[in-house]
Amino acid sequence: MIYADNAATTKLDDDAFELMIDILRNNYGNASQPYEFGQRAKEKLIEARKTIAECIGADPEEIYFTSCGTESDNWAIKMGTLGVEQIITSVIEHHAILNACKAMEATGKNVKYLPVNNKGEVNPEDLINMIGEKRSLVSVMFANNEVGTVEPIEKLAETAHKNGSIFHTDAVQAVGHVPINVHELGIDMLSASGHKFNAPKGIGFLYVKKGVGIKPFFDGGSQENGNRAGTENVASIVAMACALKNNCAELAENTGHLKTLEKILIEKLKKSGLDFIRNGSDVHIPGNINLSFADAEGEMILHRMDLKRICISTGSACDSVNTQISHVIKAIGVPNRYAEGTIRISFGKYNSESEAEEIADALIDVLK
Ligand code: PLP
């Protein structure tokens, strides 16, 4: 099998797996218990929080562990907006943001949606016009999960701060894949999900800058400084810190490798004479290739590739049951003749050059 759907989820990092096994088998204490076995688990949590904070340029007290990216997004949107007049987000957000915003709309909150250009880029000028005098929660994704476009985060955060607004970013596709320093970029809140950067599924985190004053999402015990109740998933948290540390240490090397894989695949497709468009911006998540083929059907391509034991996607994983043209492909205005033939190949650090060649050959075979 060739796995090339790393934007949907990734293979667990080997070191992270070993750490997890040790905790699950031998160090399974509850981090809230005062005896040594519990305190050993607590020490591991402290260490993991420190490691994660270092990887994104935050302070350890600014990291809150959650169960996934969706939870982090919901927490930011539902609890970060209590004191603001409106929410501003973009039309190409993941449904974790869009549906959380819809839920807030149902409570009477005003939500505005920033448009994007044909590369999927938000224009900070649009934010200036939309925000006006109103103190807002601005939530724009770091990188899009379908077309991979990286947004002008620093500029957007700076614009939001001009009238005291809060800036959140869904960085689920970006953390562990591009350099991020939250303090330097001026980010107030950031969502991340472990399974997108070679950590296990079911673990994530929310960074909240000191002073932003978010309210707890889960009520219960005093875990996470009283802000996110629930016994900590120590094994997954430790594995997440390990995977992120490894990915960040290998960032330049991985990026170079992924760019090579992109080039191999695209050049082969170009030579084949197939009629296709590559979607997204030049500034994109390394390894993300979103293609729209003329007069083709993404679903058909996906299943034919599956028969060749190659895993790719038509759009975002969370939308695989919805076979309509995705909201992102619509928003960037892919012409009708191409839009239905959209697929996403997302390489990860474990893919090889020969796999990129094989995927290109398989696509040419299927499409011809
Ligand atoms: N945000 C983005 C941009 C994503 O790509 C995803 C998952 O695909 C999520 C949020 C949701 O993350 P999780 O699967 O951890 O809930």
Side-chain angles (χ1 to χ4, degrees), residues 177-219:
H177 301 284
V178 293
I180 296 180
N181 185 309
V182 284
H183 288 172
E184 278 175 23
L185 291 170
I187 298 168
D188 298 313
M189 291 195 279
L190 172 145
S191 301
S193 172
H195 74 104
K196 308 287 186 179
F197 55 81
N198 308 96
K201 291 162 192 60
I203 194 72
F205 66 88
L206 179 69
Y207 148 80
V208 185
K209 193 180 167 180
K210 265 178 243 156
V212 165
I214 197 166
K215 294 272 181 291
F217 194 36
F218 287 1
D219 295 313

Side-chain angles (χ1 to χ4, degrees), residues 260-289:
T260 305
L261 302 190
E262 285 181 33
K263 202 163 162 231
I264 291 173
L265 190 130
I266 292 295
E267 281 184 1
K268 221 164 183 188
L269 289 183
K270 276 189 183 156
K271 273 198 201 130
S272 75
L274 284 173
D275 184 2
F276 70 93
I277 303 170
R278 181 169 186 187
N279 300 311
S281 154
D282 288 343
V283 188
H284 64 262
I285 290 297
N288 180 303
I289 304 175

Side-chain angles (χ1 to χ4, degrees), residues 11-32:
K11 181 176 181 247
L12 187 57
D13 179 280
D14 289 339
D15 297 339
F17 175 74
E18 296 301 331
L19 285 174
M20 248 185 125
I21 292 295
D22 173 60
I23 292 170
L24 292 171
R25 281 215 180 111
N26 311 314
N27 284 303
Y28 51 85
N30 184 324
S32 298

Side-chain angles (χ1 to χ4, degrees), residues 5-63:
D5 197 16
N6 289 273
T9 197
T10 54
K11 181 176 181 247
L12 187 57
D13 179 280
D14 289 339
D15 297 339
F17 175 74
E18 296 301 331
L19 285 174
M20 248 185 125
I21 292 295
D22 173 60
I23 292 170
L24 292 171
R25 281 215 180 111
N26 311 314
N27 284 303
Y28 51 85
N30 184 324
S32 298
Q33 292 298 4
Y35 43 75
E36 200 269 337
F37 192 48
Q39 289 305 294
R40 218 187 293 163
K42 193 173 174 188
E43 283 304 314
K44 289 188 186 298
L45 281 184
I46 292 171
E47 201 49 45
R49 202 183 304 280
K50 202 167 145 244
T51 302
I52 287 173
E54 273 166 14
C55 288
I56 64 161
D59 293 336
E61 317 82 80
E62 297 174 321
I63 305 294

Side-chain angles (χ1 to χ4, degrees), residues 58-77:
D59 293 336
E61 317 82 80
E62 297 174 321
I63 305 294
Y64 298 94
F65 298 123
T66 64
S67 64
C68 59
T70 301
E71 182 190 328
S72 302
D73 283 344
N74 271 267
W75 188 1
I77 296 293

Side-chain angles (χ1 to χ4, degrees), residues 7-8 67-71 73 93-97 141 143-146 170-173 192-196 202-204 316-318 344:
S67 64
C68 59
T70 301
E71 182 190 328
D73 283 344
E93 297 295 311
H94 187 272
H95 284 108
I97 292 288
M141 68 203 317
N144 182 263
N145 47 301
E146 293 190 36
D170 172 346
V172 165
Q173 292 289 336
S193 172
H195 74 104
K196 308 287 186 179
I203 194 72
S316 65
C318 318
R344 179 190 67 189

